[in-house]
Amino acid sequence: MIYQINMKFKTPTSTVLYSIEETIKAYRRLSQKNISEVIPDITVDQALILIVINQNDKTQSEIADLVFKDYASMTRIVNLMVSKDYLDKTVDAEDKRKTKLTITEKGKRVIKKLKPMITKNRETALAGVSEEEMLQLFNILQKITKNCQSNTH
Amino acid sequence: MIYQINMKFKTPTSTVLYSIEETIKAYRRLSQKNISEVIPDITVDQALILIVINQNDKTQSEIADLVFKDYASMTRIVNLMVSKDYLDKTVDAEDKRKTKLTITEKGKRVIKKLKPMITKNRETALAGVSEEEMLQLFNILQKITKNCQSNTH
DNA sequence: TATTTTTGTTTGATATATCAAATAAATATG
DNA sequence: CATATTTATTTGATATATCAAACAAAAATA
């Protein structure tokens, strides 16, 4: 497909935003396939959340913000991960509204297995993309994100 | 957030792929909000599919490929759109396996109302992004997409 | 202190994503 | 021609997305 610059009416499928969707779906498909080879019963989202919790001592909603999850989604994903014995969920003693999330022993073993695969997925996806290109990509994406956010409310 | 180049272990949240997720979610949120103002009972995906069907005389799966939808998802989305009287669904006379999708009169009126809003959403999202940047973005994204696809196969 | 507001999380309802399995029609093959 | 294979779509099961409403605990206010 060719990116069209000079069109009076840009069709949905000729827009960069369409390309962004395409890319993220391709990447998620690759990730899920490779993650399933290592740990069959975990999803891409669960894997990401597991690693982010491991690196950040934060409440459930703070983790949700980090991984761009809705709080309702987060509740459900966390409950699934608790039932699979990847996470422990307890109420915060200081503030009983808050939820403490900790990684179980099983969760820690899973993280060890996952990390190399996640690194590999990134390397696969970004093969041949220079540091300069990544920086360009990052900056343009941030610009678009800010445009959207400042107009969403 | 700052994009980190020189880290031995890149955390999930410091990767461009994370930025891509962030951007697409912000854009979808903006789109849904503005589309709902014009047509309250339509989703971003349904709006996209309506317009793509309008511009392409193709079967259900071909449309699904165009909008990156799984065939199973497509079946369900189309059924919802039929029940809302946006689409008519009939079996192809030549090949009874295939599905013909046509826009209803209501669907056509909805498209007319949607188009300006969709154009506006794109303009909002891409404000201040030069043609050169869009081309860069497009090319980098295509590279990543191909990397992922050739490894998912 | 009693009441109101805010904060963190959950639940319900509906839409979409994904994989596997099922179906029916069309095509290929022996 | 009968059977096997392929193609287009559907269905089932489970995960996630999103909005609105509910809830309980904490904080602010009268």
Side-chain angles (χ1 to χ4, degrees):
Chain A
M1 197 198 32
I2 292 158
Y3 181 68
Q4 318 246 14
I5 287 186
N6 296 312
M7 287 178 63
K8 281 181 190 153
F9 177 72
K10 292 195 183 176
T11 62
T13 55
S14 70
T15 306
V16 280
L17 297 157
Y18 179 85
S19 268
I20 298 179
E21 281 262 18
E22 183 180 19
T23 304
I24 203 67
K25 289 204 178 178
Y27 180 61
R28 287 180 76 86
R29 193 161 295 135
L30 168 76
S31 299
Q32 186 60 67
K33 184 194 156 232
N34 290 336
I35 283 176
S36 295
E37 278 176 17
V38 183
I39 311 286
D41 80 333
I42 202 167
T43 67
V44 186
D45 297 286
Q46 290 172 14
L48 170 65
I49 288 171
L50 198 58
I51 287 177
V52 170
I53 290 175
N54 196 43
Q55 291 168 342
N56 298 274
D57 186 26
K58 299 190 180 296
T59 70
Q60 185 171 302
S61 345
E62 287 168 338
I63 299 287
D65 289 336
L66 275 178
V67 297
F68 312 127
K69 296 287 175 198
D70 188 89
Y71 300 145
S73 295
M74 190 69 184
T75 294
R76 283 155 183 144
I77 296 172
V78 164
N79 287 347
L80 280 175
M81 293 175 79
V82 168
S83 73
K84 286 185 197 164
D85 191 31
Y86 291 146
L87 289 182
D88 279 330
K89 181 173 182 170
T90 49
V91 286
D92 186 308
E94 268 104 86
D95 184 340
K96 287 175 190 168
R97 292 169 305 182
K98 292 182 181 171
T99 294
K100 279 266 174 208
L101 299 172
T102 50
I103 316 272
T104 62
E105 286 309 311
K106 182 182 172 194
K108 284 177 187 164
R109 288 196 299 275
V110 164
I111 288 176
K112 268 192 189 144
K113 284 195 191 174
L114 283 177
K115 272 192 174 175
M117 186 50 90
I118 291 176
T119 303
K120 192 189 150 214
N121 285 340
R122 262 180 229 145
E123 286 168 359
T124 300
L126 300 176
V129 180
S130 68
E131 292 291 354
E132 193 199 344
E133 284 175 317
M134 282 200 246
L135 206 50
Q136 284 174 354
L137 178 57
F138 179 77
N139 287 329
I140 301 170
L141 289 173
Q142 286 299 106
K143 199 187 275 187
I144 297 175
T145 302
K146 289 204 180 88
N147 284 340
C148 293
Q149 285 170 345
S150 58
N151 279 275
T152 305
H153 87 156
Chain B
M1 196 197 32
I2 292 158
Y3 181 69
Q4 318 247 12
I5 286 186
N6 297 312
M7 287 177 65
K8 280 182 193 153
F9 177 73
K10 292 194 182 178
T11 62
T13 55
S14 71
T15 306
V16 280
L17 297 156
Y18 178 84
S19 269
I20 299 179
E21 281 265 4
E22 184 180 19
T23 303
I24 202 68
K25 289 203 179 179
Y27 180 62
R28 288 181 74 85
R29 193 161 294 133
L30 168 75
S31 299
Q32 186 62 67
K33 186 197 154 228
N34 289 336
I35 283 176
S36 294
E37 279 176 16
V38 183
I39 312 285
D41 79 333
I42 202 166
T43 67
V44 186
D45 297 286
Q46 290 172 14
L48 171 65
I49 288 171
L50 197 57
I51 286 177
V52 171
I53 290 175
N54 195 43
Q55 291 168 343
N56 299 274
D57 185 26
K58 297 188 182 297
T59 70
Q60 185 172 302
S61 343
E62 287 168 337
I63 298 288
D65 289 336
L66 275 178
V67 297
F68 313 126
K69 297 288 175 196
D70 188 88
Y71 300 145
S73 295
M74 191 69 184
T75 295
R76 282 153 183 145
I77 296 172
V78 164
N79 287 346
L80 281 174
M81 293 176 79
V82 169
S83 73
K84 286 186 198 165
D85 191 29
Y86 291 146
L87 289 181
D88 279 331
K89 181 173 182 170
T90 50
V91 287
D92 185 309
E94 268 102 88
D95 185 338
K96 287 176 188 168
R97 290 169 306 181
K98 293 183 181 170
T99 294
K100 278 265 172 208
L101 299 172
T102 49
I103 317 274
T104 61
E105 286 309 312
K106 183 182 172 193
K108 285 177 188 165
R109 289 196 298 276
V110 163
I111 288 176
K112 269 193 190 144
K113 283 195 192 175
L114 283 176
K115 273 192 172 175
M117 185 50 92
I118 291 176
T119 302
K120 192 188 147 210
N121 286 339
R122 262 179 233 146
E123 285 169 0
T124 300
L126 300 175
V129 180
S130 69
E131 291 290 354
E132 194 199 342
E133 283 175 319
M134 282 200 247
L135 205 51
Q136 284 174 353
L137 178 56
F138 179 78
N139 288 329
I140 300 170
L141 289 174
Q142 287 298 107
K143 200 187 275 185
I144 297 175
T145 302
K146 289 205 179 88
N147 284 340
C148 293
Q149 285 170 346
S150 59
N151 278 275
T152 307
H153 93 152

